[in-house]
Amino acid sequence: MTPFESVNTFFDRGAQLIHLKDEMYDVLKTSYREVQVQVPVRMDNGSLHVYTGYRIQHNGARGPYKGGIRYHPQADLDEVRALASLMTWKTALVDIPFGGAKGGITVDISNMSPHEIEVMTRRFTNAIGHVLGPARDIPAPDLNTNAQVMAWVMDAYSASHGYTPQSVTGKPLELGGAPGREAATGRGVVYVLEGAAKHWDVDLQACRVAIQGFGNVGSWVARGLDELGVKVVAVSDVKGGVYCANGLDVSRLVRLGDSRRSVIETDGVDHISNEELLECDCDVLIPAALGDVITADNAEKIRADIVIEAANHPTTTEADAMLRDTGKRVIPDLLANAGGVTGSYFEWTQNIQQFKWKEERFNEELRDIMMRALDSTLFFAESRDVPMRDAAFAIGIERVARASKLRGYV
Ligand code: GLU
């Protein structure tokens, strides 16, 4: 099953719960607009590489299209389409005034120079610029993109539209980025985990947590848990993972990450692979890196009781069913990682108002929105006796369907 088919399988389950009209399925299961562009880049050594880029706008009934841009060898049309659809349900679930989109370039940037990445980013932005804009489609960081990349996107867009910080989120603070945005996805994961643990009467302080991925999401999750005194027993990055039953020294790992070194450079710990991390002895598992990592091959070997999806689409449909059958509690991506786009919403509103919030306000508002979405998901799931994923999709779909109908899309 491709990622898009998989997301639509989850969609169908949610849609059935709210008795979505047949004709709505056709509108909500397909993208509104799919742009594929050629991105030629003159490399530093003089050679020319032609990459392929995408911007998929899935649904804009509730507001401008919104979603990240990723640079990854697996970022093809189908994956970006799947992720754009997830953004539609995510922004609706947390009830912020955006639709769903995603962009990507099929590229391995690990051996590219900053200059090559800049040239590629500017080319890509110019190629998709006609479908972007603060009231049309607002990109943000995703896998292998960051505040610097967003600064280039903003600069390229602003070259033809005038200074437009509200055209992109996840920017550097100097260019209208919001204090709190960088940490927002990770903080949101921690808020949701705290809230869910309380609801289930699980003592989070006694839990051992494993985090796959130590990039912008994973490292902030680790920091947040560490601040709460929760033991992080395993983390990993592209190079591999580390495990320590007594808990890892998170600040040391963060220092390594900040100096662009791998977590595997820590000593006094057991070294494990990324696959082993998923199956390690822990109570809470947090995939915070790539999609499709929990599959039919390893789902039965997962020992954690709670899986909280900080990554987008980390669980295949087969694995999702297996986790359900073995009684695991799965907090779905739509809810778990929605802190990122919620933080983007705060950044966008601040840019429009030209008014800066303090980080305390940002975090407080973020917690409110995440808690409201958690409560409604838990309420739906428990009152209908369905998994949280189905509940999250159902809530999102209902809101988008209503807006689509009101706007006359059907
Ligand atoms: N890339 C993030 C996500 O998948 C954030 C998107 C955004 O802020 O627009 O949710």
Side-chain angles (χ1 to χ4, degrees):
M1 205 184 280
T2 71
F4 189 56
E5 286 166 351
S6 168
V7 168
N8 272 341
T9 305
F10 293 145
F11 172 92
D12 287 342
R13 292 214 312 253
Q16 275 154 22
L17 288 172
I18 56 159
H19 308 292
L20 188 75
K21 274 203 180 144
D22 282 348
E23 59 185 23
M24 270 290 181
Y25 276 77
D26 298 334
V27 179
L28 301 187
K29 281 176 80 168
T30 52
S31 333
Y32 167 68
R33 172 155 49 191
E34 303 190 336
V35 180
Q36 176 176 326
V37 293
Q38 188 189 56
V39 188
V41 180
R42 180 71 60 194
M43 308 306 273
D44 294 347
N45 66 6
S47 67
L48 188 77
H49 272 237
V50 184
Y51 299 102
T52 305
Y54 307 93
R55 185 70 184 173
I56 311 292
Q57 298 173 335
H58 178 262
N59 186 291
R62 301 182 62 264
Y65 300 98
K66 185 84 192 81
I69 291 175
R70 59 171 53 189
Y71 293 162
H72 197 268
Q74 268 139 34
D76 60 10
L77 179 60
D78 189 89
E79 186 189 73
V80 178
R81 200 183 259 154
L83 295 165
S85 162
L86 281 180
M87 288 306 301
T88 299
W89 318 124
K90 192 189 301 186
T91 52
L93 174 65
V94 288
D95 205 7
I96 56 176
F98 289 132
K102 202 78 163 199
I105 301 181
T106 319
V107 59
D108 176 4
I109 60 156
S110 56
N111 292 317
M112 284 172 76
S113 71
H115 175 252
E116 290 166 343
I117 297 172
E118 176 177 349
V119 172
M120 180 178 76
T121 302
R122 289 181 183 279
R123 274 284 183 149
F124 179 54
T125 308
N126 290 339
I128 61 169
H130 60 293
V131 298
L132 300 182
R136 200 177 288 270
D137 184 351
I138 308 144
D142 199 79
L143 212 62
N144 293 331
T145 55
N146 56 18
Q148 173 62 79
V149 173
M150 295 308 115
W152 291 325
V153 172
M154 187 199 84
D155 187 68
Y157 183 84
S158 294
S160 47
H161 294 87
Y163 183 62
T164 324
Q166 66 272 33
S167 62
V168 185
T169 59
K171 298 179 296 291
L173 298 182
E174 297 84 343
L175 295 176
R181 171 61 186 90
E182 198 190 294
T185 314
R187 286 226 172 91
V189 172
V190 175
Y191 294 156
V192 168
L193 179 60
E194 254 188 302
K198 196 163 158 214
H199 181 81
W200 293 324
D201 222 1
V202 169
D203 179 8
L204 199 56
Q205 305 294 323
C207 287
R208 297 155 308 151
V209 182
I211 307 170
Q212 185 184 57
F214 207 68
N216 184 47
V217 180
S219 67
W220 281 104
V221 173
R223 275 184 235 203
L225 291 173
D226 196 44
E227 272 166 30
L228 293 177
V230 179
K231 214 185 265 178
V232 178
V233 292
V235 300
S236 66
D237 57 31
V238 277
K239 298 228 167 101
V242 288
Y243 181 89
C244 179
N246 295 327
L248 294 160
D249 181 348
V250 171
S251 33
R252 210 162 127 214
L253 293 165
V254 168
R255 278 199 301 278
L256 278 175
D258 286 348
S259 49
R260 297 183 181 280
R261 289 164 65 193
S262 168
V263 295
I264 62 170
E265 291 183 42
T266 328
D267 38 29
V269 296
D270 295 332
H271 286 86
I272 55 174
S273 67
N274 262 296
E275 294 71 39
E276 285 165 340
L277 181 137
L278 298 169
E279 300 163 16
C280 80
D281 191 14
C282 64
D283 306 298
V284 179
L285 174 64
I286 311 187
L290 300 175
D292 284 346
V293 291
I294 303 178
T295 65
D297 294 333
N298 62 11
E300 271 171 352
K301 297 184 207 142
I302 285 173
R303 290 194 257 177
D305 295 321
I306 299 174
V307 177
I308 170 161
E309 298 181 337
N312 284 313
H313 200 267
T315 312
T316 65
T317 42
E318 297 84 357
D320 187 57
M322 289 161 79
L323 293 178
R324 204 176 336 139
D325 291 347
T326 48
K328 307 284 188 200
R329 298 186 196 270
V330 179
I331 306 180
D333 48 5
L334 291 191
L335 172 65
N337 70 32
V341 73
T342 303
S344 283
Y345 167 51
F346 299 156
E347 181 177 333
W348 179 72
T349 53
Q350 291 174 65
N351 291 153
I352 290 171
Q353 297 182 359
Q354 300 190 38
F355 180 78
K356 251 193 178 135
W357 296 1
K358 290 197 180 113
E359 191 166 351
E360 293 75 35
R361 173 170 177 197
F362 184 105
N363 291 338
E364 238 170 72
E365 304 256 5
L366 178 64
R367 190 191 280 272
D368 276 1
I369 289 188
M370 298 307 287
M371 288 306 100
R372 222 175 306 141
L374 171 67
D375 286 348
S376 44
T377 308
L378 284 170
F379 180 77
F380 192 110
E382 285 168 9
S383 54
R384 304 283 296 268
D385 194 21
V386 294
M388 284 179 85
R389 188 184 317 279
D390 296 11
F393 267 88
I395 295 168
I397 296 166
E398 181 144 61
R399 288 186 180 146
V400 176
R402 240 185 275 148
S404 299
K405 175 106 187 116
L406 286 166
R407 290 197 52 180
Y409 288 10
V410 284

